[in-house]
Coordinates of all heavy atoms in Angstrom, one line a residue:
G12 N 20.7 -6.5 -31.5 CA 21.8 -6.4 -32.5 C 22.3 -7.8 -32.9 O 21.9 -8.8 -32.4
A13 N 23.3 -7.8 -33.7 CA 23.8 -9.0 -34.2 C 24.7 -9.7 -33.2 O 24.9 -10.9 -33.2 CB 24.6 -8.8 -35.5
D14 N 25.2 -9.0 -32.2 CA 26.1 -9.5 -31.2 C 25.3 -9.9 -30.0 O 24.7 -9.1 -29.3 CB 27.1 -8.5 -30.8 CG 28.2 -9.0 -29.8 OD1 28.1 -10.2 -29.5 OD2 28.9 -8.2 -29.3
P15 N 25.3 -11.2 -29.7 CA 24.5 -11.7 -28.5 C 24.9 -11.1 -27.2 O 24.1 -11.0 -26.3 CB 24.7 -13.2 -28.5 CG 25.1 -13.5 -29.9 CD 25.9 -12.3 -30.4
S16 N 26.1 -10.6 -27.1 CA 26.6 -10.0 -25.9 C 25.8 -8.7 -25.6 O 25.7 -8.3 -24.4 CB 28.1 -9.7 -25.9 OG 28.3 -8.7 -26.9
G17 N 25.2 -8.1 -26.6 CA 24.4 -6.9 -26.4 C 23.1 -7.2 -25.7 O 22.4 -6.3 -25.2
A18 N 22.7 -8.5 -25.7 CA 21.4 -8.9 -25.1 C 21.4 -8.7 -23.6 O 20.4 -8.3 -23.0 CB 21.2 -10.4 -25.3
L19 N 22.6 -8.9 -22.9 CA 22.7 -8.7 -21.5 C 22.3 -7.2 -21.1 O 21.6 -7.0 -20.1 CB 24.1 -9.0 -21.0 CG 24.4 -10.5 -21.0 CD1 25.9 -10.7 -20.6 CD2 23.5 -11.3 -20.0
V20 N 22.8 -6.3 -21.9 CA 22.5 -4.9 -21.6 C 21.1 -4.6 -21.8 O 20.4 -3.9 -21.0 CB 23.4 -3.9 -22.5 CG1 23.0 -2.5 -22.3 CG2 24.9 -4.2 -22.3
A21 N 20.5 -5.1 -22.9 CA 19.1 -4.8 -23.2 C 18.2 -5.5 -22.1 O 17.2 -4.8 -21.6 CB 18.7 -5.4 -24.5
V22 N 18.5 -6.7 -21.7 CA 17.7 -7.3 -20.7 C 17.8 -6.7 -19.3 O 16.8 -6.4 -18.6 CB 18.1 -8.8 -20.6 CG1 17.3 -9.5 -19.4 CG2 17.7 -9.6 -21.8
S23 N 19.0 -6.3 -19.0 CA 19.3 -5.7 -17.7 C 18.7 -4.3 -17.5 O 18.4 -3.8 -16.4 CB 20.8 -5.6 -17.4 OG 21.4 -6.9 -17.4
S24 N 18.4 -3.6 -18.7 CA 17.9 -2.3 -18.6 C 16.4 -2.3 -18.9 O 15.8 -1.2 -19.0 CB 18.6 -1.4 -19.7 OG 18.4 -1.9 -21.0
S25 N 15.7 -3.4 -19.1 CA 14.3 -3.4 -19.3 C 13.6 -2.9 -18.1 O 13.9 -3.1 -17.0 CB 13.8 -4.9 -19.6 OG 14.2 -5.7 -18.5
S26 N 12.5 -2.1 -18.3 CA 11.8 -1.4 -17.3 C 10.5 -1.9 -16.9 O 9.9 -1.6 -15.9 CB 11.7 0.1 -17.6 OG 11.0 0.3 -18.8
T27 N 9.9 -2.8 -17.7 CA 8.6 -3.4 -17.4 C 8.7 -4.9 -17.7 O 9.6 -5.4 -18.4 CB 7.5 -2.8 -18.3 OG1 7.8 -3.1 -19.7 CG2 7.4 -1.3 -18.1
L28 N 7.7 -5.6 -17.1 CA 7.7 -7.1 -17.3 C 7.3 -7.4 -18.8 O 7.9 -8.4 -19.3 CB 6.6 -7.7 -16.4 CG 6.6 -9.2 -16.3 CD1 7.9 -9.6 -15.6 CD2 5.4 -9.6 -15.4
A29 N 6.5 -6.6 -19.4 CA 6.1 -6.8 -20.8 C 7.3 -6.6 -21.7 O 7.6 -7.4 -22.6 CB 5.0 -5.9 -21.2
E30 N 8.1 -5.6 -21.4 CA 9.3 -5.4 -22.2 C 10.3 -6.5 -22.0 O 11.0 -6.9 -23.0 CB 10.0 -4.0 -21.8 CG 11.2 -3.7 -22.5 CD 11.8 -2.4 -22.0 OE1 11.2 -1.6 -21.3 OE2 13.0 -2.1 -22.4
L31 N 10.4 -7.0 -20.8 CA 11.4 -8.1 -20.5 C 10.9 -9.3 -21.3 O 11.8 -10.0 -21.9 CB 11.4 -8.4 -19.0 CG 12.3 -9.5 -18.6 CD1 13.7 -9.3 -18.8 CD2 12.0 -9.8 -17.1
S32 N 9.7 -9.6 -21.3 CA 9.2 -10.8 -22.0 C 9.4 -10.7 -23.5 O 9.7 -11.7 -24.2 CB 7.7 -11.0 -21.8 OG 7.4 -11.3 -20.4
D33 N 9.3 -9.5 -24.1 CA 9.5 -9.3 -25.5 C 10.9 -9.5 -25.9 O 11.2 -9.8 -27.1 CB 9.0 -7.9 -25.9 CG 7.5 -7.7 -25.9 OD1 6.8 -8.7 -25.9 OD2 7.0 -6.6 -25.8
L34 N 11.8 -9.4 -25.0 CA 13.2 -9.6 -25.3 C 13.6 -11.0 -25.4 O 14.7 -11.4 -25.8 CB 14.1 -8.8 -24.3 CG 14.1 -7.3 -24.3 CD1 14.9 -6.7 -23.2 CD2 14.7 -6.8 -25.6
V35 N 12.8 -11.9 -24.9 CA 13.1 -13.4 -25.0 C 12.9 -13.8 -26.4 O 11.9 -13.5 -27.1 CB 12.1 -14.2 -24.1 CG1 12.4 -15.7 -24.2 CG2 12.2 -13.7 -22.7
P36 N 13.9 -14.4 -27.0 CA 13.8 -14.9 -28.4 C 12.5 -15.7 -28.6 O 12.1 -16.5 -27.8 CB 15.1 -15.7 -28.6 CG 16.0 -15.2 -27.7 CD 15.2 -14.7 -26.5
A37 N 11.9 -15.4 -29.8 CA 10.5 -16.0 -30.0 C 10.4 -17.5 -29.8 O 9.4 -17.9 -29.2 CB 10.1 -15.6 -31.5
P38 N 11.3 -18.3 -30.2 CA 11.1 -19.8 -30.0 C 11.0 -20.2 -28.5 O 10.3 -21.1 -28.2 CB 12.3 -20.4 -30.7 CG 12.8 -19.4 -31.6 CD 12.6 -18.1 -31.0
Y39 N 11.6 -19.4 -27.7 CA 11.7 -19.8 -26.3 C 10.7 -18.9 -25.4 O 10.5 -19.2 -24.2 CB 13.1 -19.6 -25.7 CG 14.1 -20.3 -26.5 CD1 14.8 -19.6 -27.5 CD2 14.5 -21.6 -26.3 CE1 15.8 -20.2 -28.3 CE2 15.5 -22.2 -27.0 CZ 16.1 -21.6 -28.0 OH 17.1 -22.2 -28.7
R40 N 10.0 -18.0 -26.1 CA 9.2 -17.0 -25.3 C 8.0 -17.7 -24.6 O 7.7 -17.3 -23.4 CB 8.7 -15.9 -26.3 CG 8.1 -14.7 -25.6 CD 7.8 -13.6 -26.5 NE 9.0 -13.2 -27.2 CZ 9.1 -12.6 -28.4 NH1 7.9 -12.4 -29.1 NH2 10.2 -12.2 -28.9
P41 N 7.2 -18.5 -25.2 CA 6.1 -19.1 -24.5 C 6.4 -19.8 -23.2 O 5.8 -19.6 -22.2 CB 5.4 -20.1 -25.5 CG 5.9 -19.6 -26.9 CD 7.3 -19.0 -26.6
R42 N 7.5 -20.6 -23.2 CA 7.9 -21.3 -22.0 C 8.5 -20.4 -21.0 O 8.2 -20.5 -19.8 CB 8.9 -22.4 -22.4 CG 8.4 -23.6 -23.2 CD 7.8 -24.6 -22.3 NE 8.7 -25.2 -21.4 CZ 9.5 -26.3 -21.7 NH1 9.5 -26.8 -22.9 NH2 10.3 -26.7 -20.8
M43 N 9.3 -19.4 -21.4 CA 9.9 -18.5 -20.5 C 9.0 -17.5 -19.9 O 9.2 -17.0 -18.8 CB 11.1 -17.8 -21.2 CG 12.4 -18.5 -21.3 SD 13.0 -19.1 -19.7 CE 13.3 -17.5 -19.0
R44 N 7.9 -17.1 -20.7 CA 6.9 -16.2 -20.2 C 6.3 -16.7 -18.9 O 6.1 -16.0 -17.9 CB 5.9 -15.9 -21.2 CG 4.9 -14.8 -20.8 CD 3.8 -14.5 -21.8 NE 4.4 -13.7 -22.9 CZ 4.4 -14.1 -24.2 NH1 4.0 -15.3 -24.5 NH2 5.0 -13.4 -25.1
D45 N 6.0 -18.0 -18.9 CA 5.4 -18.6 -17.7 C 6.4 -18.6 -16.5 O 6.0 -18.3 -15.4 CB 5.0 -20.1 -18.0 CG 3.9 -20.2 -19.0 OD1 3.1 -19.2 -19.1 OD2 3.7 -21.3 -19.6
I46 N 7.7 -18.9 -16.8 CA 8.7 -18.8 -15.7 C 8.8 -17.4 -15.2 O 8.9 -17.2 -14.0 CB 10.0 -19.4 -16.2 CG1 9.9 -20.9 -16.6 CG2 11.1 -19.2 -15.2 CD1 11.1 -21.5 -17.2
V47 N 9.0 -16.4 -16.1 CA 9.2 -15.0 -15.7 C 8.0 -14.5 -14.9 O 8.1 -13.8 -13.9 CB 9.5 -14.2 -16.9 CG1 9.4 -12.7 -16.6 CG2 10.8 -14.5 -17.5
N48 N 6.8 -14.8 -15.4 CA 5.6 -14.3 -14.7 C 5.5 -14.9 -13.3 O 5.1 -14.3 -12.3 CB 4.3 -14.7 -15.5 CG 4.2 -13.8 -16.7 OD1 4.8 -12.7 -16.8 ND2 3.4 -14.2 -17.7
T49 N 5.8 -16.2 -13.2 CA 5.7 -16.9 -11.9 C 6.7 -16.3 -10.9 O 6.4 -16.0 -9.7 CB 6.0 -18.4 -12.0 OG1 5.0 -19.0 -12.9 CG2 6.0 -19.1 -10.7
V50 N 7.9 -16.1 -11.4 CA 9.0 -15.5 -10.5 C 8.6 -14.1 -10.1 O 8.7 -13.7 -8.9 CB 10.3 -15.5 -11.3 CG1 11.3 -14.6 -10.6 CG2 10.9 -16.9 -11.4
Y51 N 8.0 -13.3 -11.0 CA 7.7 -11.9 -10.7 C 6.5 -11.9 -9.7 O 6.6 -11.1 -8.7 CB 7.2 -11.2 -12.0 CG 6.7 -9.8 -11.8 CD1 7.7 -8.7 -11.8 CD2 5.4 -9.5 -11.6 CE1 7.2 -7.4 -11.6 CE2 5.0 -8.2 -11.4 CZ 5.9 -7.1 -11.4 OH 5.5 -5.9 -11.2
K52 N 5.5 -12.6 -9.9 CA 4.4 -12.6 -8.9 C 4.8 -13.1 -7.5 O 4.4 -12.6 -6.5 CB 3.2 -13.5 -9.5 CG 2.6 -12.9 -10.7 CD 1.5 -13.8 -11.3 CE 0.8 -13.3 -12.5 NZ -0.2 -14.2 -13.1
A53 N 5.6 -14.2 -7.5 CA 6.1 -14.7 -6.2 C 6.9 -13.7 -5.5 O 6.8 -13.5 -4.3 CB 6.8 -16.0 -6.5
A54 N 7.8 -12.9 -6.2 CA 8.6 -11.9 -5.6 C 7.8 -10.8 -5.0 O 8.1 -10.3 -3.9 CB 9.6 -11.4 -6.6
V55 N 6.7 -10.3 -5.8 CA 5.9 -9.3 -5.3 C 5.1 -9.7 -4.0 O 5.1 -9.0 -3.0 CB 4.9 -8.9 -6.4 CG1 3.8 -8.0 -5.8 CG2 5.6 -8.2 -7.6
K56 N 4.5 -10.9 -4.1 CA 3.8 -11.4 -2.9 C 4.7 -11.6 -1.7 O 4.3 -11.4 -0.6 CB 3.1 -12.7 -3.3 CG 1.9 -12.5 -4.3 CD 1.3 -13.8 -4.7 CE 0.2 -13.5 -5.7 NZ -0.5 -14.8 -6.1
S57 N 5.9 -12.1 -2.0 CA 6.9 -12.3 -0.9 C 7.2 -11.0 -0.2 O 7.3 -10.9 1.0 CB 8.2 -12.9 -1.5 OG 9.1 -13.0 -0.4
N58 N 7.4 -9.9 -1.0 CA 7.7 -8.6 -0.4 C 6.5 -8.1 0.4 O 6.7 -7.5 1.5 CB 8.0 -7.6 -1.5 CG 9.5 -7.6 -1.9 OD1 10.3 -6.9 -1.3 ND2 9.8 -8.5 -2.8
H59 N 5.3 -8.3 -0.1 CA 4.1 -7.9 0.7 C 4.0 -8.7 2.0 O 3.6 -8.2 3.0 CB 2.8 -8.0 -0.2 CG 2.7 -7.0 -1.2 ND1 2.7 -5.6 -0.9 CD2 2.5 -7.1 -2.5 CE1 2.5 -4.9 -2.0 NE2 2.4 -5.8 -3.0
A60 N 4.3 -10.0 1.9 CA 4.2 -10.8 3.1 C 5.2 -10.4 4.1 O 5.0 -10.4 5.3 CB 4.4 -12.3 2.7
R61 N 6.5 -10.1 3.6 CA 7.5 -9.6 4.6 C 7.1 -8.3 5.3 O 7.3 -8.1 6.5 CB 8.8 -9.4 3.8 CG 9.5 -10.6 3.3 CD 10.7 -10.3 2.5 NE 11.4 -11.5 2.0 CZ 12.2 -12.3 2.6 NH1 12.6 -12.0 3.9 NH2 12.7 -13.3 2.0
S62 N 6.4 -7.4 4.5 CA 6.0 -6.1 5.1 C 4.9 -6.4 6.1 O 5.0 -5.8 7.2 CB 5.4 -5.2 4.0 OG 4.9 -4.0 4.5
Y63 N 4.0 -7.3 5.9 CA 2.9 -7.6 6.8 C 3.5 -8.3 8.1 O 3.1 -8.0 9.2 CB 1.9 -8.4 6.2 CG 0.7 -8.7 7.1 CD1 -0.1 -7.6 7.5 CD2 0.3 -10.0 7.4 CE1 -1.2 -7.9 8.4 CE2 -0.7 -10.2 8.3 CZ -1.5 -9.2 8.7 OH -2.6 -9.4 9.5
L64 N 4.5 -9.1 7.8 CA 5.1 -9.8 8.9 C 5.8 -8.8 9.8 O 5.8 -9.0 11.1 CB 6.2 -10.8 8.4 CG 7.0 -11.6 9.4 CD1 6.2 -12.4 10.4 CD2 8.0 -12.5 8.7
S65 N 6.5 -7.8 9.3 CA 7.1 -6.8 10.1 C 6.1 -6.0 10.9 O 6.4 -5.7 12.1 CB 7.9 -5.8 9.2 OG 8.9 -6.5 8.5
T66 N 4.9 -5.8 10.3 CA 3.9 -5.1 11.1 C 3.4 -5.9 12.3 O 3.3 -5.4 13.4 CB 2.7 -4.8 10.2 OG1 3.1 -4.0 9.1 CG2 1.6 -4.1 10.9
L67 N 3.2 -7.2 12.1 CA 2.8 -8.1 13.2 C 3.9 -8.2 14.2 O 3.5 -8.2 15.4 CB 2.5 -9.5 12.6 CG 1.3 -9.7 11.7 CD1 1.2 -11.1 11.2 CD2 0.0 -9.2 12.3
E68 N 5.1 -8.3 13.8 CA 6.2 -8.4 14.8 C 6.3 -7.1 15.6 O 6.6 -7.1 16.8 CB 7.5 -8.7 14.1 CG 7.6 -10.1 13.6 CD 8.8 -10.4 12.8 OE1 9.4 -9.4 12.2 OE2 9.3 -11.6 12.7
K69 N 6.1 -6.0 15.0 CA 6.1 -4.7 15.7 C 5.0 -4.6 16.8 O 5.1 -4.2 17.9 CB 6.0 -3.5 14.8 CG 6.2 -2.2 15.4 CD 6.1 -1.0 14.4 CE 6.5 0.3 15.1 NZ 5.6 0.6 16.3
H70 N 3.8 -5.2 16.4 CA 2.7 -5.2 17.3 C 3.1 -6.1 18.5 O 2.7 -5.7 19.7 CB 1.4 -5.8 16.7 CG 0.6 -4.8 15.9 ND1 -0.1 -3.8 16.5 CD2 0.4 -4.7 14.6 CE1 -0.7 -3.1 15.6 NE2 -0.5 -3.6 14.4
Q71 N 3.7 -7.2 18.3 CA 4.1 -8.1 19.4 C 5.1 -7.4 20.3 O 5.0 -7.5 21.5 CB 4.8 -9.3 18.8 CG 4.9 -10.4 19.8 CD 5.5 -11.7 19.2 OE1 6.4 -11.7 18.4 NE2 4.8 -12.8 19.5
V72 N 6.1 -6.6 19.7 CA 7.0 -5.9 20.6 C 6.4 -4.8 21.4 O 6.7 -4.6 22.5 CB 8.2 -5.3 19.7 CG1 9.1 -4.4 20.5 CG2 9.0 -6.4 19.0
D73 N 5.4 -4.1 20.7 CA 4.7 -3.0 21.4 C 3.6 -3.4 22.3 O 2.9 -2.6 22.9 CB 4.1 -2.0 20.3 CG 5.2 -1.3 19.5 OD1 6.4 -1.3 20.0 OD2 4.9 -0.8 18.4
R74 N 3.3 -4.7 22.3 CA 2.2 -5.3 23.1 C 0.9 -4.8 22.7 O 0.0 -4.4 23.5 CB 2.5 -5.1 24.6 CG 3.7 -5.8 25.1 CD 3.9 -5.6 26.6 NE 5.1 -6.4 27.1 CZ 5.4 -6.4 28.4 NH1 4.7 -5.8 29.3 NH2 6.5 -7.1 28.7
T75 N 0.7 -4.6 21.4 CA -0.6 -4.2 20.8 C -1.0 -5.3 19.9 O -0.3 -6.3 19.7 CB -0.4 -2.9 20.1 OG1 0.6 -3.0 19.1 CG2 0.0 -1.8 21.0
F76 N -2.2 -5.1 19.2 CA -2.8 -6.1 18.3 C -3.3 -5.4 17.1 O -3.8 -4.3 17.1 CB -3.9 -6.8 19.0 CG -3.6 -7.5 20.3 CD1 -3.8 -7.0 21.5 CD2 -2.9 -8.7 20.2 CE1 -3.5 -7.6 22.7 CE2 -2.5 -9.4 21.4 CZ -2.8 -8.8 22.6
P77 N -3.1 -6.1 15.9 CA -3.6 -5.5 14.7 C -5.2 -5.6 14.7 O -5.8 -6.3 15.5 CB -3.1 -6.5 13.6 CG -2.9 -7.8 14.3 CD -2.4 -7.4 15.7
P78 N -5.8 -4.7 13.9 CA -7.3 -4.7 13.9 C -8.0 -6.1 13.7 O -9.0 -6.3 14.3 CB -7.6 -3.7 12.8 CG -6.4 -2.9 12.6 CD -5.3 -3.8 12.9
E79 N -7.4 -6.9 12.8 CA -8.0 -8.2 12.5 C -8.0 -9.1 13.7 O -8.7 -10.1 13.7 CB -7.3 -8.9 11.4 CG -5.8 -8.9 11.5 CD -5.0 -7.7 10.9 OE1 -5.6 -6.6 10.9 OE2 -3.9 -7.9 10.5
I80 N -7.2 -8.8 14.7 CA -7.2 -9.6 16.0 C -7.8 -8.8 17.1 O -8.7 -9.3 17.8 CB -5.8 -10.0 16.4 CG1 -5.2 -11.0 15.3 CG2 -5.8 -10.7 17.8 CD1 -3.8 -11.5 15.6
G81 N -7.3 -7.6 17.3 CA -7.8 -6.8 18.4 C -9.3 -6.4 18.3 O -10.0 -6.3 19.3
G82 N -9.7 -6.1 17.0 CA -11.1 -5.7 16.8 C -12.1 -6.8 16.7 O -13.3 -6.6 16.9
R83 N -11.6 -8.1 16.5 CA -12.6 -9.2 16.4 C -12.7 -10.0 17.6 O -13.7 -10.7 17.9 CB -12.1 -10.1 15.2 CG -12.3 -9.4 13.8 CD -11.8 -10.3 12.7 NE -12.0 -9.8 11.4 CZ -13.2 -9.9 10.7 NH1 -14.1 -10.6 11.2 NH2 -13.3 -9.4 9.5
V84 N -11.6 -10.1 18.4 CA -11.6 -10.9 19.6 C -11.9 -10.0 20.8 O -11.0 -9.3 21.2 CB -10.3 -11.7 19.8 CG1 -10.4 -12.6 21.0 CG2 -10.0 -12.5 18.5
R85 N -13.1 -10.0 21.4 CA -13.4 -9.2 22.5 C -14.1 -9.9 23.6 O -14.7 -11.0 23.3 CB -14.3 -8.0 22.0 CG -13.7 -7.1 20.9 CD -14.7 -6.1 20.5 NE -14.1 -5.2 19.5 CZ -14.8 -4.2 18.9 NH1 -16.1 -4.0 19.2 NH2 -14.2 -3.4 18.0
T86 N -14.1 -9.3 24.8 CA -14.9 -9.9 25.9 C -16.4 -9.7 25.6 O -16.8 -8.6 25.3 CB -14.5 -9.2 27.2 OG1 -13.1 -9.3 27.4 CG2 -15.3 -9.8 28.3
P87 N -17.1 -10.8 25.6 CA -18.6 -10.7 25.3 C -19.3 -9.8 26.3 O -19.0 -9.8 27.5 CB -19.1 -12.1 25.3 CG -18.1 -12.8 26.2 CD -16.8 -12.2 25.9
A88 N -20.2 -9.0 25.7 CA -21.0 -8.1 26.6 C -22.3 -8.9 27.1 O -23.2 -9.1 26.3 CB -21.5 -6.8 25.8
L89 N -22.2 -9.3 28.3 CA -23.3 -10.1 28.9 C -24.4 -9.2 29.5 O -24.1 -8.1 30.1 CB -22.8 -11.1 29.9 CG -21.6 -12.0 29.4 CD1 -21.1 -12.8 30.6 CD2 -22.1 -12.9 28.3
Q90 N -25.6 -9.7 29.5 CA -26.7 -8.9 30.2 C -26.7 -9.4 31.7 O -27.2 -10.5 32.0 CB -28.0 -9.2 29.5 CG -28.1 -8.7 28.1 CD -29.5 -9.0 27.5 OE1 -30.3 -9.6 28.1 NE2 -29.7 -8.5 26.3
I91 N -26.2 -8.5 32.5 CA -26.1 -8.8 33.9 C -26.8 -7.8 34.7 O -26.7 -6.6 34.4 CB -24.6 -8.9 34.4 CG1 -23.8 -9.9 33.5 CG2 -24.4 -9.2 35.8 CD1 -22.3 -10.0 33.8
S92 N -27.5 -8.2 35.7 CA -28.3 -7.3 36.6 C -27.3 -6.4 37.3 O -26.2 -6.7 37.6 CB -29.1 -8.0 37.6 OG -28.3 -8.8 38.4
K93 N -27.8 -5.2 37.7 CA -26.9 -4.2 38.4 C -26.5 -4.7 39.8 O -25.4 -4.5 40.2 CB -27.7 -2.9 38.5 CG -27.9 -2.1 37.2 CD -28.6 -0.8 37.5 CE -28.8 -0.1 36.1 NZ -29.5 1.2 36.3
E94 N -27.4 -5.5 40.4 CA -27.2 -6.0 41.7 C -26.0 -7.0 41.7 O -25.1 -6.9 42.5 CB -28.4 -6.7 42.3 CG -29.6 -5.8 42.6 CD -30.4 -5.4 41.3 OE1 -30.0 -5.9 40.2 OE2 -31.3 -4.6 41.4

Side-chain angles (χ1 to χ4, degrees):
D14 183 7
S16 61
L19 290 174
V20 177
V22 173
S23 300
S24 60
S25 58
S26 57
T27 64
L28 193 64
E30 182 182 345
L31 178 64
S32 297
D33 288 341
L34 289 173
V35 179
Y39 307 94
R40 192 174 299 155
R42 292 275 299 272
M43 279 302 297
R44 183 180 287 118
D45 292 339
I46 295 174
V47 168
N48 287 341
T49 298
V50 166
Y51 179 84
K52 291 177 181 178
V55 169
K56 292 178 180 179
S57 175
N58 273 270
H59 285 305
R61 288 177 186 276
S62 177
Y63 184 62
L64 174 60
S65 298
T66 301
L67 294 178
E68 289 176 335
K69 187 177 186 305
H70 276 294
Q71 192 176 49
V72 172
D73 295 342
R74 297 184 179 182
T75 57
F76 301 99
E79 52 271 29
I80 294 178
R83 291 178 176 272
V84 183
R85 299 178 180 177
T86 303
L89 305 177
Q90 295 181 355
I91 300 175
S92 63
K93 292 182 180 180
E94 293 78 5

